[in-house]
């Protein structure tokens, strides 16, 4: 590879950028600076005590400079070896496969399951980098324990129906979206690793398989609408794969939906360009497989708006290829046969899971939504806060947490300017820009003002709350932005670019102050400093994009985009090895040991196995799931109405428990069972006696309370552990 000389200016830029990136990396290692930032010193505030701790924690740490050296070397190497990017592009699939193999071999993942260790004050031996995120409870406290319950379920591991959750047969595939031994897994390819790999390696297969495929697919998709511009396609890939909206919601359906949507469009474009019907068959089958996987995600809040984007992209591909497109009877036969196969599989799944589907559709929550949109005008520009959500504990925004505040960094409203320049100044009637602009306006209108009920119904948008649609709105805007920059015949003049950038950065800044004024009242100086930093960063990004990445400033633009991506997305989730760290939790170890002895009595008999966690909220109500113990009050995606009828035979409390819910069970001395709301749509509390627990089939109760005072005339307790801050009991019938 031929080396080239690089200018002193670029060397200075590489050094400064490497140091900035290293500081962010150090904050990632520390788990954020929220304590230092908002509670600096004994009196709190941005004072000298804060500054001393910040300097010591960031700049006097060896790993800050090790990372800076690595980042600087990488930047220098790519600069002096211009063929390196070409090499990476040529062998991108082999490189991706090698990275994937390494991750799976070592059992690496981004799970926040280490929060279990933190919750019980024990060391997390599996954490390699970063910090486990408490706010990612839907992953570490719900979906991962459910997966472990499947894996550790003895001879029934990965059964389609299992009683590990709720204590009665439960649909794990449709209801809980967990891996199962069934042909239905054809629509869950990223979960296939669970069926043949150890749990830690399978979790890695799932975690990094999705991330690597998302990166590859988004790059190929970017190449489609950037007319083969590799640099812009990489920018698109980074803005999608490491978007805050993707990384903060990583364990949810958003990753799969983006993969299947973009991949289907890429395959359809290649299908349209291919003249041989035989060579079209793999593309046809791939598109149909994407369609089946997309449908079986079953999350309409994101699916419905994404379908509109998909239809727009398909229309664009058809219009672009209409002159050369060939379609014959053989193509139709392949499509019909493929559709029949996919439809048959979906019907098989829907029939097998019909009871779960019926119960879920009749729940109070989520049940059947009917949204009319609107109410998100204040939240469209929250992406500007996203670049510091990984290093602060709280940010202004639409929700009380980082997940609800997470967005695609779509640079709204700047995303419209390149499109307008192309359409008006350059007079290019580009179909892609027109379609994306129309879709952006449609989704933006739904988010900001909403639709009348009849329009919400006929468009099916009633399935999608505006705070979920706004994420797809951002996805659409990124495509609009990148396409506009691709087609601009020349950059804007310096003055025009500067004025436009100032105006565009002013909109989100003013919006933040107007709608989040209370946030800036306390500890105003450090918060304003963060706000000012984001203003500077985005103003520069805006300006350099409108200058269309002029050759002399492209390195700075690349550095800023990498910085935004690194702070906003890459550092969201930790890097950890395996799932064995939970063995450090003594409470869990004892539950597992007692459960094993109960299920292996030695004489072939069965000594009961239904557990109940007393008086605990999420996540502790799911604690027994981590070792595969059957748990009555674990998080229920859909209710066991028959079992709950034992406690509520008249259905008096149906509206409280007929929902997706994190269940808190509280043992009381006497009285009739009763239910009450847990303060959120997905929580409820149920109170009942030990007699009721025995009627429910509960065999073991674990609690932080001494429950011996709750014994009744017919039901007693035998303590099974010797001491500690928690109690484990076996119920016994008193004759």
């Amino acid at each position: 590879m031929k080396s080239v000389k690089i200018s002193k200016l670029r060397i200075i830029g590489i050094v400064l950028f490497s140091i900035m990136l290293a500081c962010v990396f150090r904050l990632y290692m520390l788990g954020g600076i929220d304590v230092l930032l908002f509670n600096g010193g004994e009196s709190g505030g941005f004072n000298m005590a804060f500054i001393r701790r910040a300097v010591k924690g960031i700049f006097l740490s060896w790993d800050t400079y090790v990372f800076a050296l690595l980042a600087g070397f990488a930047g220098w190497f790519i600069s002096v070896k211009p063929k390196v990017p070409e090499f990476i592009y040529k062998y991108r699939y082999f490189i991706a496969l090698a990275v994937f193999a390494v991750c799976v071999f070592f059992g690496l993942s981004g799970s926040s399951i280490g929060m279990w260790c933190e919750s019980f004050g024990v060391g997390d031996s599996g954490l390699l980098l970063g910090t486990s995120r408490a706010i990612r409870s839907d992953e570490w406290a719900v979906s991962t324990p459910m997966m472990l319950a499947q894996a550790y379920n003895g001879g029934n591991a990965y059964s389609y129906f299992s009683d590990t959750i709720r204590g009665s047969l439960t649909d794990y595939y449709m209801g809980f979206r967990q891996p199962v031994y069934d042909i239905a897994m054809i629509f869950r390819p990223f979960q296939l690793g669970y069926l043949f790999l150890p749990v830690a390696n399978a979790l890695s297969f799932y975690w990094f398989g999705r991330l690597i495929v998302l990166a590859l697919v988004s790059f190929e998709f970017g190449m489609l609408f950037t007319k083969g511009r590799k640099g812009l396609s990489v920018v698109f890939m980074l803005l999608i794969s490491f978007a805050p909206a993707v990384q903060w919601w990583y364990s949810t359906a958003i990753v799969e939906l983006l993969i299947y949507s973009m991949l289907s469009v890429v395959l359809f474009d290649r299908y349209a360009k291919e003249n041989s019907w035989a060579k079209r068959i793999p593309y046809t089958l791939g598109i149909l497989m994407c369609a089946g996987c997309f449908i079986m995600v079953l999350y309409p809040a994101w699916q419905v708006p994404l379908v509109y984007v998909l239809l727009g992209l398909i229309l664009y591909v058809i219009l672009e290829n209409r002159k050369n497109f060939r379609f014959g009877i053989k193509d139709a036969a392949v499509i019909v046969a493929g559709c029949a196969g996919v439809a048959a599989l979906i019907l098989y799944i829907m029939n097998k899971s019909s009871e779960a589907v019926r119960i879920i559709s009749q729940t109070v929550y989520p049940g059947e939504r009917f949204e009319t949109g609107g109410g998100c005008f204040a939240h469209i520009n929250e992406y500007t806060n996203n670049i510091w959500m990984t290093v602060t504990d709280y940010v202004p925004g639409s929700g009380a947490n980082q997940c609800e505040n997470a967005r695609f960094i779509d640079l709204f409203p700047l995303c419209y300017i390149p499109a307008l320049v192309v359409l008006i100044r350059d007079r290019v009637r580009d179909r892609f820009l027109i379609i994306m602009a129309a879709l952006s306006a449609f989704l933006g209108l739904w988010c900001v003002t909403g639709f009348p009920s009849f329009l919400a119904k006929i468009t099916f948008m009633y399935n999608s709350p505006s705070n979920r649609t706004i994420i797809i709105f951002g996805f659409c805007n990124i495509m609009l932005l990148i396409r506009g920059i691709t087609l601009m015949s020349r950059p804007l003049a310096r003055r025009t670019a500067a004025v436009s950038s100032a105006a565009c950065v002013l909109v989100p800044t003013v919006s933040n102050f107007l709608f989040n004024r209370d946030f800036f009242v306390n500890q105003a100086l450090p918060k304003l400093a963060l706000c000012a930093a984001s203003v500077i960063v985005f103003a520069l990004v805006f300006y350099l994009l409108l200058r269309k990445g002029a050759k002399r400033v492209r390195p700075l633009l690349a550095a800023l985009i990498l910085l935004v991506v690194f702070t906003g997305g890459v550092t969201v989730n930790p890097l950890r090895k395996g799932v064995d760290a939970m063995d450090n939790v003594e409470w869990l170890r004892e539950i597992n040991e007692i459960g094993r002895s109960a299920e292996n009595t030695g004489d072939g008999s069965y000594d009961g196995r239904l557990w109940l966690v007393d008086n605990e909220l999420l996540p502790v109500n799911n604690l027994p799931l981590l070792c595969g113990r059957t748990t009555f009050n674990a998080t229920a995606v859909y209710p066991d109405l028959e079992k709950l009828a034992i406690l509520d035979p008249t259905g008096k409390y149906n509206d409280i428990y007929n929902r997706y819910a994190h269940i808190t069970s509280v043992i009381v001395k006497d009285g009739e069972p009763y239910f009450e709301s847990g303060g959120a749509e997905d929580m409820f509390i149920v109170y009942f006696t030990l007699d009721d627990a025995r009627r429910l089939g509960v065999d073991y109760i674990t609690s932080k309370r001494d429950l011996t005072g709750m014994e009744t005339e017919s039901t007693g307790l035998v303590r099974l552990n010797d001491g500690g801050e928690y109690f484990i009991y076996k119920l016994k019938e008193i004759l």
Side-chain angles (χ1 to χ4, degrees):
M1 294 184 184
K2 185 178 179 181
S3 300
V4 296
K5 293 183 178 180
I6 57 175
S7 66
K8 292 181 180 178
L9 183 62
R10 180 172 292 194
I11 291 175
I12 293 171
I14 290 173
V15 170
L16 292 176
F17 171 71
S18 299
I19 292 173
M20 287 191 340
L21 206 62
C23 291
V24 174
F25 175 77
R26 177 58 183 162
L27 292 176
Y28 172 59
M29 293 287 292
L30 290 172
I33 59 169
D34 52 284
V35 175
L36 295 175
L37 191 61
F38 300 122
N39 298 288
E42 295 181 0
S43 60
F46 189 74
N47 53 32
M48 289 306 298
F50 159 73
I51 295 173
R52 285 194 296 270
R53 283 199 298 273
V55 169
K56 184 177 179 180
I58 298 172
F59 295 104
L60 299 183
S61 175
W62 64 268
D63 48 359
T64 300
Y65 296 98
V66 169
F67 188 84
L69 286 172
L70 291 174
F73 175 77
W76 170 82
F77 188 74
I78 291 174
S79 296
V80 300
K81 301 287 186 180
K83 289 188 177 181
V84 169
E86 295 178 17
F87 177 85
I88 295 173
Y89 171 75
K90 183 177 180 180
Y91 296 102
R92 61 192 182 279
Y93 293 111
F94 295 103
I95 294 170
L97 184 61
V99 171
F100 176 66
V102 169
C103 292
V104 173
F105 179 80
F106 288 104
L108 306 178
S109 75
S111 172
S112 289
I113 200 170
M115 280 305 305
W116 287 100
C117 298
E118 187 171 326
S119 298
F120 292 103
V122 298
D124 181 3
S125 56
L127 186 65
L128 301 177
L129 295 174
T131 181
S132 295
R133 303 284 182 184
I135 195 62
R136 297 295 301 113
S137 58
D138 58 332
E139 182 268 317
W140 66 269
V142 180
S143 64
T144 300
M146 289 178 178
M147 176 274 293
L148 293 174
Q150 274 283 73
Y152 298 148
N153 194 17
N156 295 318
Y158 302 117
S159 297
Y160 198 105
F161 297 99
S162 174
D163 64 355
T164 312
I165 297 176
R166 311 188 313 170
S168 58
L169 283 183
T170 301
D171 188 321
Y172 260 80
Y173 179 84
M174 184 69 75
F176 290 78
R177 296 189 177 96
Q178 293 298 322
V180 299
Y181 281 120
D182 194 275
I183 194 173
M185 287 296 289
I186 195 172
F187 295 130
R188 303 270 177 83
F190 297 108
Q191 291 184 337
L192 290 174
Y194 289 110
L195 307 184
F196 64 90
L197 290 171
V199 173
N201 307 91
L203 179 61
S204 181
F205 185 102
Y206 173 74
W207 196 278
F208 281 104
R210 297 158 83 226
L211 181 60
I212 291 170
V213 172
L214 178 61
L216 290 172
V217 168
S218 56
F219 176 79
E220 298 298 339
F221 181 70
M223 292 286 282
L224 189 156
F225 68 85
T226 62
K227 298 182 178 294
R229 298 274 295 276
K230 298 183 184 70
L232 286 175
S233 298
V234 169
V235 171
F236 177 77
M237 179 267 288
L238 292 172
L239 291 177
I240 298 302
S241 302
F242 297 102
V246 169
Q247 294 300 317
W248 286 104
W249 289 103
Y250 193 76
S251 63
T252 65
I254 189 66
V255 177
E256 281 88 347
L257 289 175
L258 290 173
I259 288 172
Y260 303 138
S261 299
M262 292 188 290
L263 181 57
S264 63
V265 175
V266 171
L267 293 174
F268 183 63
D269 179 69
R270 296 182 181 180
Y271 175 95
K273 288 179 169 60
E274 179 58 61
N275 292 321
S276 169
W277 75 271
K279 292 181 180 179
R280 285 178 172 180
I281 292 176
Y283 299 135
T284 303
L285 297 179
I287 292 168
L288 292 173
M289 183 58 65
C290 286
C293 293
F294 184 94
I295 292 168
M296 292 312 297
V297 167
L298 295 175
Y299 191 74
W302 280 326
Q303 283 175 307
V304 172
L306 202 48
V307 163
Y308 279 98
V309 177
L310 257 176
L311 292 175
L313 292 168
I314 290 170
L315 175 62
Y316 164 73
V317 172
I318 291 172
L319 293 175
E320 286 292 294
N321 296 279
R322 68 189 187 283
K323 293 182 180 179
N324 301 318
F325 187 72
R326 299 290 183 271
F327 187 82
I329 188 68
K330 293 179 180 178
D331 296 284
V334 172
I335 291 173
V336 169
C339 286
V342 172
L345 283 170
I346 291 176
L347 287 174
Y348 160 79
I349 295 168
M350 297 303 289
N351 180 65
K352 193 167 185 175
S353 297
S354 58
E355 182 180 4
V357 173
R358 178 184 61 81
I359 295 174
I360 292 171
S361 67
Q362 294 174 357
T363 55
V364 176
Y365 171 83
E368 292 188 7
R369 284 192 174 108
F370 194 93
E371 302 282 343
T372 56
C376 276
F377 178 74
H379 313 307
I380 284 181
N381 292 301
E382 287 173 351
Y383 69 89
T384 56
N385 303 324
N386 283 191
I387 63 171
W388 31 285
M389 289 199 304
T390 56
V391 295
T392 60
D393 189 49
Y394 181 76
V395 293
S398 59
N401 59 67
Q402 293 96 328
C403 298
E404 293 296 337
N405 194 45
R407 302 282 181 265
F408 278 104
I409 298 178
D410 60 350
L411 305 184
F412 180 88
L414 175 97
C415 55
Y416 293 125
I417 293 180
L420 292 173
V421 169
V422 171
L423 294 171
I424 298 173
R425 187 197 69 178
D426 298 340
R427 297 183 180 181
V428 176
R429 299 296 179 262
D430 182 67
R431 298 184 183 94
F432 190 94
L433 285 180
I434 294 171
I435 291 171
M436 284 300 111
L439 286 168
S440 177
F442 172 78
L443 297 176
L445 190 65
W446 171 261
C447 293
V448 173
T449 65
F451 294 168
S453 296
F454 79 92
L455 187 57
K457 188 170 185 178
I458 63 175
T459 58
F460 294 95
M461 288 297 293
Y462 68 88
N463 291 287
S464 182
S466 55
N467 66 339
R468 295 291 176 264
T469 303
I470 202 169
I471 290 179
I472 309 304
F473 171 74
F475 174 60
C476 186
N477 288 341
I478 290 177
M479 290 187 283
L480 185 67
L481 173 69
I482 300 296
R483 178 69 169 192
I485 294 170
T486 299
L487 297 180
M488 284 174 62
S489 61
R490 63 185 187 278
L492 292 182
R494 289 188 180 91
R495 182 175 296 179
T496 305
V499 171
S500 300
S501 301
C504 287
V505 82
L506 188 64
V507 171
T509 303
V510 172
S511 175
N512 276 336
F513 278 105
L514 289 178
F515 296 107
N516 300 288
R517 282 174 291 185
D518 292 343
F519 174 80
F520 293 96
V521 173
N522 296 318
Q523 306 294 340
L525 184 58
K527 293 176 182 178
L528 289 173
L530 285 173
C531 187
S534 62
V535 166
I536 293 169
V537 168
F538 282 109
L540 284 171
V541 171
F542 287 176
Y543 175 79
L544 294 174
L545 283 172
L546 292 178
R547 291 289 294 152
K548 204 185 176 185
K551 191 172 182 180
R552 291 168 57 183
V553 297
R554 283 179 191 170
L556 178 57
L557 176 60
L560 286 172
I561 289 174
L562 283 173
L563 184 65
V564 166
V565 167
F566 194 83
T567 56
V570 174
T571 53
V572 169
N573 294 300
L575 181 67
R576 67 174 305 103
K577 184 178 186 297
V579 295
D580 296 336
M582 292 177 299
D583 293 341
N584 298 333
V585 179
E586 185 180 356
W587 195 353
L588 179 63
R589 284 204 310 270
E590 292 206 1
I591 289 174
N592 194 26
E593 291 170 4
I594 291 170
R596 282 179 180 173
S597 63
E599 294 175 7
N600 298 280
T601 57
D603 58 2
S605 63
Y606 183 71
D607 195 30
R609 61 192 182 103
L610 182 59
W611 288 74
L612 182 146
V613 181
D614 167 66
N615 198 35
E616 295 290 346
L617 300 170
L618 185 77
V620 183
N621 65 304
N622 288 332
L623 182 65
L625 295 182
L626 295 171
C627 56
R629 302 301 117 199
T630 303
T631 310
F632 166 74
N633 60 321
T635 297
V637 173
Y638 63 98
D640 183 351
L641 297 176
E642 290 186 10
K643 184 160 286 189
L644 292 171
I646 296 173
L647 302 176
D648 181 32
T650 64
K652 177 181 177 181
Y653 300 103
N654 182 75
D655 285 350
I656 294 178
Y657 58 71
N658 187 14
R659 62 183 64 239
Y660 171 101
H662 309 297
I663 305 170
T664 297
S665 297
V666 181
I667 299 297
V668 294
K669 174 64 177 177
D670 50 36
E672 293 295 320
Y674 68 97
F675 296 76
E676 65 180 30
S677 172
E681 285 187 315
D682 59 356
M683 298 175 63
F684 71 80
I685 305 172
V686 55
Y687 300 85
F688 52 85
T689 65
L690 290 175
D691 289 338
D692 296 318
R694 195 157 51 83
R695 288 194 296 135
L696 291 167
V698 172
D699 301 290
Y700 299 94
I701 296 178
T702 185
S703 176
K704 289 183 180 178
R705 300 189 297 164
D706 183 351
L707 297 179
T708 53
M710 304 294 178
E711 293 175 314
T712 67
E713 293 181 356
S714 57
T715 306
L717 296 169
V718 177
R719 186 172 182 183
L720 301 178
N721 65 324
D722 296 328
E725 298 179 358
Y726 51 87
F727 301 81
I728 299 177
Y729 300 101
K730 178 174 174 55
L731 274 69
K732 67 174 182 179
E733 183 179 3
I734 299 175
L735 302 177

